[in-house]
Amino acid sequence: GTLQAIAANMAPWLGIWMLVASLSGSFALFLGTTTAYTRSLWSMGRPDVLGCQAYLPQQLGKLWRRYNTPWVAILVYALSTTFLMSFSFGILVQMDVFMKNVTLLYEIAALIYFKYRQPDRPRPFAVPFKIIGVWVMMIPKMFIVVTAMLFTDWRVWIVAVVFYGSITSAYFIRDFIQARGICLPSEQVILATPQEIESVLEHADLAAEFITDDFLAFRDDSDSDSDSDSD
């Protein structure tokens, strides 16, 4: 890259070190991204004790017995990434923006839906002027989002329709199965491994200890301030 070329012009050995640093940074970023996305797929494929709450196919929740790695999620992520690499960078940018716009439309639709169905539900923040305020705020946003989507490349539309169609279909199929009580047998449900349970309990104990220490320190400080005010 440019930084490596500048470093090489300054000193050959500096250019080599800059190249090694760039490769190491890119590899670390690749590992972090892969871990984050594959664990997200893995968690959405994990059912509860009834085996009825997985948002994605439960095969994604499988772990390799030896290293506890989500090998199915990694395979799906690798195949998806390989498919996306066939597109140009400009198309990938359009896909990213398009997917975010679709997600934004989902959020707007959910806001309007719940404002009509549950207008008096307690919320941490309420849009002013109730449903009229929601429409006044959302119409300009929807216009901008839809206009941007209309000028997107047709290949992005095809990928988005297939992707969101599959996800939406899977969601309704899951609801259909749950409504009829069709769940996995208990012996097929993918539960947490003993190592995962031990790790969660350990972190929970540490968190509880940390919160308790902070509370005691805060209480001691409050008592000290009260004593000072009394004096």
Side-chain angles (χ1 to χ4, degrees):
T2 304
L3 294 178
Q4 190 271 335
I6 295 174
N9 290 330
M10 297 175 60
W13 62 269
L14 185 59
I16 295 174
W17 278 108
M18 183 61 70
L19 177 62
V20 173
S22 300
L23 292 175
S24 301
S26 299
F27 184 67
L29 180 62
F30 168 76
L31 290 179
T33 304
T34 302
T35 302
Y37 283 110
T38 54
R39 281 295 177 179
S40 297
L41 290 174
W42 167 78
S43 62
M44 287 188 287
R46 303 269 290 180
D48 62 359
V49 293
L50 297 179
C52 293
Q53 296 297 325
Y55 288 94
L56 293 177
Q58 296 182 14
Q59 286 74 15
L60 290 171
K62 289 184 177 180
L63 294 174
W64 192 12
R65 292 184 178 276
R66 184 173 182 181
Y67 296 109
N68 288 330
T69 51
W71 65 274
V72 178
I74 293 174
L75 180 61
V76 171
Y77 177 77
L79 293 176
S80 303
T81 304
T82 304
F83 169 73
L84 293 175
M85 287 175 62
S86 62
F87 297 97
S88 64
F89 180 75
I91 295 296
L92 292 177
V93 172
Q94 291 188 50
M95 284 185 184
D96 181 59
V97 176
F98 190 93
M99 298 295 186
K100 290 180 179 178
N101 286 338
V102 172
T103 304
L104 185 59
L105 289 178
Y106 274 122
E107 295 175 358
I108 294 173
L111 172 62
I112 296 174
Y113 173 82
F114 282 110
K115 273 296 183 179
Y116 275 105
R117 295 297 298 271
Q118 302 177 12
D120 299 324
R121 182 175 181 175
R123 296 177 172 89
F125 172 79
V127 178
F129 308 110
K130 298 184 177 180
I131 191 63
I132 297 177
V134 171
W135 280 110
V136 170
M137 294 177 62
M138 293 301 111
I139 287 177
K141 185 178 294 186
M142 288 189 293
F143 175 77
I144 295 174
V145 170
V146 173
T147 302
M149 293 172 65
L150 292 176
F151 289 94
T152 305
D153 190 275
W154 62 271
R155 289 169 290 184
V156 177
W157 274 94
I158 293 177
V159 173
V161 168
V162 173
F163 176 77
Y164 280 105
S166 302
I167 296 298
T168 305
S169 300
Y171 177 82
F172 284 109
I173 291 173
R174 187 202 67 163
D175 281 356
F176 175 81
I177 293 175
Q178 289 183 7
R180 283 151 181 78
I182 307 173
C183 304
L184 288 178
S186 58
E187 64 270 11
Q188 295 184 16
V189 176
I190 308 169
L191 299 176
T193 62
Q195 294 84 354
E196 292 172 341
I197 296 175
E198 182 179 354
S199 177
V200 170
L201 293 177
E202 180 181 354
H203 285 82
D205 291 339
L206 291 175
E209 181 180 354
F210 178 77
I211 294 173
T212 303
D213 292 342
D214 277 359
F215 173 75
L216 294 176
F218 174 77
R219 188 183 64 179
D220 293 340
D221 292 341
S222 300
D223 294 341
S224 300
D225 293 339
S226 300
D227 296 338
S228 299
D229 294 338
S230 300
D231 296 339

